Amino acid sequence: QVQLVESGGGSVQAGGSLRLSCVASAYIINTASMGWFRQAPGKAREGVAVFDNVGTITYADSVKGRFTISKDNAKNTLYLQMNNLSPEDTAMYYCAADKEARASWWLLVRPAQIGVWGQGTQVTVSS
């Protein structure tokens, strides 16, 4: 069973930064498309950033220029560096892996198509 373990969430003030981490197996890190999604209370889950297995990255418009997704294959870890956070970024953040390794632009807007999810880590931004 594939496991994704997130960490790094927390509470920060607007303008602050956080870095989320997602540890996966070596097989998943090296073969799957992986990304970060978020879900705020009462809202649908939405894509934040996806890193597909050919190295293409797609960001949601709302986070471009503020968030950076990256991978460290040696550490089997996916990261999301979040800078200049705003209260609108408050949500549960989930790491996800698509074992079919589909394109990042396609996965970003189709979270329901992704089969592997972490347990989530809460990010709360206060004004």
Side-chain angles (χ1 to χ4, degrees):
Q1 185 175 353
V2 177
Q3 284 190 314
L4 304 174
V5 181
E6 302 110 326
S7 62
S11 297
V12 295
Q13 290 192 323
S17 298
L18 284 172
R19 189 176 78 158
L20 306 183
S21 299
C22 171
V23 178
S25 68
Y27 177 78
I28 288 295
I29 281 288
N30 285 287
T31 64
S33 295
M34 297 188 69
W36 291 96
F37 294 75
R38 66 187 181 186
Q39 189 166 17
K43 293 188 176 181
R45 191 168 295 190
E46 63 176 5
V48 175
V50 178
F51 195 134
D52 66 30
N53 78 331
V54 296
T56 303
I57 294 173
T58 303
Y59 293 99
D61 288 344
S62 60
V63 306
K64 283 181 182 176
R66 300 188 300 123
F67 291 11
T68 302
I69 189 172
S70 62
K71 266 197 313 179
D72 186 336
N73 288 21
K75 295 183 178 180
N76 297 338
T77 303
L78 181 76
Y79 299 102
L80 184 68
Q81 177 66 44
M82 305 185 294
N83 298 328
N84 193 22
L85 284 159
S86 73
E88 290 70 35
D89 296 315
T90 294
M92 185 72 78
Y93 283 70
Y94 296 91
C95 176
D98 178 49
K99 292 192 285 183
E100 296 184 52
R102 289 170 285 193
S104 61
W105 60 268
W106 192 88
L107 291 169
L108 187 76
V109 295
R110 294 174 176 83
Q113 297 295 321
I114 300 176
V116 183
W117 294 88
Q119 81 285 356
T121 185
Q122 178 68 38
V123 172
T124 302
V125 185
S126 58
S127 58

